[in-house]
Amino acid sequence: MADEILKLERVCKSYNVGLPTETEVLHDIDLELDHGEFLALMGPSGSGKSTLLNIVGLLDRPTSGRLLIKGRDTGLLGDNEITHLRGHTIGFVFQYHLLISAFTARENIMMPMLADRGFPSAEIAARADHLLAEVGLERFGNNLANNMSGGQQQRVAVARALAMNPDLVLADEPTGNLDTKSADAVFELMRRVNRQSGTSFLLVTHNLDLARRCDRIIEVVDGRIAQH
Amino acid sequence: MNRWLPFEWIAAVRFLREGRLQTIFIIGGISIGVGVIVFMSAMLAGMEANFIRRVLTSQPQIQLLTPDQVARPLRNAAGEIEDAVVQRPSQRVISIDQWPKIRTQMLAMPEVTAVSPTITGSALAIRGDASRAVTLTGIEPDTYFNIVKVPDYIVAGSARLTSEDVIIGTELAKNLGATVGDKLNLQAASSANRVLTISGLVDFGNKGANQRVAFIALRTGQSLLGMIGGVTTIDMTIKDIYAAETIARQIQAATAVEADSWIATNAQFFTAVQAQIYTNTLIRLFVGLSVAFGIAAVLIVSVIQRSKEIGILRAMGTSRGQILRVFLLQGGLLGFIGSLVGAAMGALALIYWHAVARQADGTEFFPLILERSLFIYTAILATVTGLLAATAPAVRAAKLDPVVAIRG
Ligand SMILES: Nc1ncnc2c1ncn2[C@@H]1O[C@H](COP(=O)(O)OP(=O)(O)O)[C@@H](O)[C@H]1O
Ligand SMILES: [Mg+2]
């Protein structure tokens, strides 16, 4: 197997294709991410970071170029295969609207496993409890998602992203809404998981202090990569 | 989390529970619709059953008569007609030709459950100064009571019918000032007459019938009406009451008698029932449609409200199919729960209305018929309606682009 978990070759992305408002947001992006690497993605607002993350996360498809995940060309996959690959390979942490409010913290963590297996089981619940402990929230399992602080919710979101034991976690400004202390806690949590289990991370952040603690920093400016 | 419930089920139930007020209101709406349908259908079924029961226990389902006597135009030779206008002859009361043979033939038919020969004619019932015209019905009690449940309608005395007995209607008894045990002089048109003892009074719930009806033994009737050994009608019951008309037509084609079914005799009632059924169906349809639109509207709003959560679920590996089923299930659940509540409401309203609504004489307006099948059908129908109503919202949810949903 290829050494890199992720490989982008000349990826372009345009919005409103075929309309007068058509705009290319990403231009010829080449990017590789190794197994176990913790990469920081920086850049000004509107430069295309979220667009890039959505493409990498298989939520969106590139207009041109190739996206390989674990060596597989994702352009050749159908909708169901994409969904399956996403569920098993990639975990997401978003900045806003983090958890599903109708469920408790534990159930939110169980959700990706539940969607995958179809039925709840003791094993799934045990894994959720294990992850809750991992993120230091063992006592909050039965809290409804909305009855927790922003930092706690984001730690639950990290636990949820890890539920399926993904190879790659994509985090889009996960600490953007948190105070310094909580942001630090969430970042350290991800860094620890990265070190302990070798999960690769792609972290979008505006926080230079956090970015410096990553393995590598990449800057996106106007839809192009400016490597450091 | 119950481990027997699939993901879709858990998510659907949670979403419904979280949208508390929306859920309660739409279930209220569905319940009212279902309640109306249950109430109306059960009441209609009750009234219809009531009528049919009355008809079928007080009338034969098929009656065989002598065919109409027709006059034929006189002909001298082919094509040459003497009288152009042919007048219908007056109908003499005559016996059915070879009736014992026809009875045997009828009894041999597998659809037929009871056959009873009767003789009818008119007579004058005289008691003291009072006299009334009556319709004499000479019967064989053993077979006839299987067809017309005379004993069920006896309100005084008994259904005993020896050759010396007569059973008369309550109104007739009142008009003649007679009661059980009194003697009654019956005088036929031929001025033959017999004095019989009133053994019982019947009330068919119909004033006209109660004024005229007089049952006597077949032999007594034959001698009074001057038709020894003869009968004027053969009354029958059959297994499938709704096949009466078809069977009547078959009999008429196969024999020389005329056969009337209760369906033809009560054609007016059936027209009324048909009209009721159409109205009922229309009301059901429109109630069902408004329920469906209500469910669809609530679910569409829910899809819009939850689009971010749907996006997150999709990002976490939930398939389009799963999202589709989560919302279909919500529609089905709403329909099902609404049907349970609505059926209970409809049944309670029916029980209340049954207790309150009385006819002029204090008897029940309609019998209380709460068939399990009505509830099962209603529940199935409501659930299916919910599922169908949920298709548009569910498809919309499944098609949601997670990128757009998450960006919000
Ligand atoms: N769905 C869309 N349709 C049209 N333009 C879009 C869409 N999504 C993003 N954009 C545009 O693409 C550019 C990059 O956006 P985004 O990837 O969100 O940037 P970032 O995350 O770096 O702030 C912006 O100019 C934005 O307005
Ligand atoms: Mg962004």
Side-chain angles (χ1 to χ4, degrees), chain B residues 108-132:
Chain B
M109 288 174 67
E111 301 95 333
V112 173
T113 52
V115 178
S116 181
T118 61
I119 183 162
T120 55
S122 44
L124 217 53
I126 306 164
R127 190 178 132 79
D129 293 337
S131 69
R132 289 286 184 277

Side-chain angles (χ1 to χ4, degrees), chain B residues 141 159-166 196-197 199 215-218 220:
Chain B
R160 186 194 66 200
L161 207 58
T162 68
S163 58
E164 303 301 318
D165 292 322
V166 59
L196 302 175
T197 308
S199 61
F215 290 110
I216 52 179
L218 183 62
T220 315

Side-chain angles (χ1 to χ4, degrees), chain A residues 171-189:
Chain A
D172 197 348
E173 302 188 45
T175 61
N177 269 0
L178 303 180
D179 59 81
T180 323
K181 220 175 123 220
S182 305
D184 213 65
V186 169
F187 177 79
E188 274 313 317
L189 168 65

Side-chain angles (χ1 to χ4, degrees), chain A residues 13-16 21 23-26 41-54 60 172-173 204 206 220 223, chain B residues 401 403-404 407:
Chain A
K13 176 68 187 178
S14 300
Y15 283 115
N16 304 330
T21 51
T23 35
E24 190 168 277
V25 177
L26 294 179
L41 203 59
M42 300 192 75
S45 206
S47 57
K49 304 182 297 296
S50 295
T51 303
L52 182 60
L53 228 61
N54 287 336
D60 210 347
D172 197 348
E173 302 188 45
V204 174
H206 289 297
V220 180
Chain B
D401 182 352
V403 177
V404 176
R407 183 183 300 118

Side-chain angles (χ1 to χ4, degrees), chain A residues 79 86 97 101 107 115 118 120, chain B residues 1 7 14 18 312 322 406:
Chain A
D79 196 60
R86 181 165 66 228
H97 36 78
S101 55
E107 289 165 347
Chain B
M1 247 184 230
F7 161 77
R14 286 302 175 84
E18 204 198 18
I312 290 168
Q322 282 175 313
I406 291 165

Side-chain angles (χ1 to χ4, degrees), chain A residues 1-56:
Chain A
M1 197 169 71
D3 212 23
E4 68 275 347
I5 167 89
L6 178 70
K7 185 171 175 140
L8 280 77
E9 292 175 356
R10 304 180 63 82
V11 164
C12 297
K13 176 68 187 178
S14 300
Y15 283 115
N16 304 330
V17 175
L19 299 176
T21 51
E22 176 169 341
T23 35
E24 190 168 277
V25 177
L26 294 179
H27 320 283
D28 292 329
I29 301 277
D30 287 310
L31 180 67
E32 283 180 23
L33 188 66
D34 288 340
H35 279 283
E37 200 177 5
F38 201 118
L39 183 75
L41 203 59
M42 300 192 75
S45 206
S47 57
K49 304 182 297 296
S50 295
T51 303
L52 182 60
L53 228 61
N54 287 336
I55 287 172
V56 169

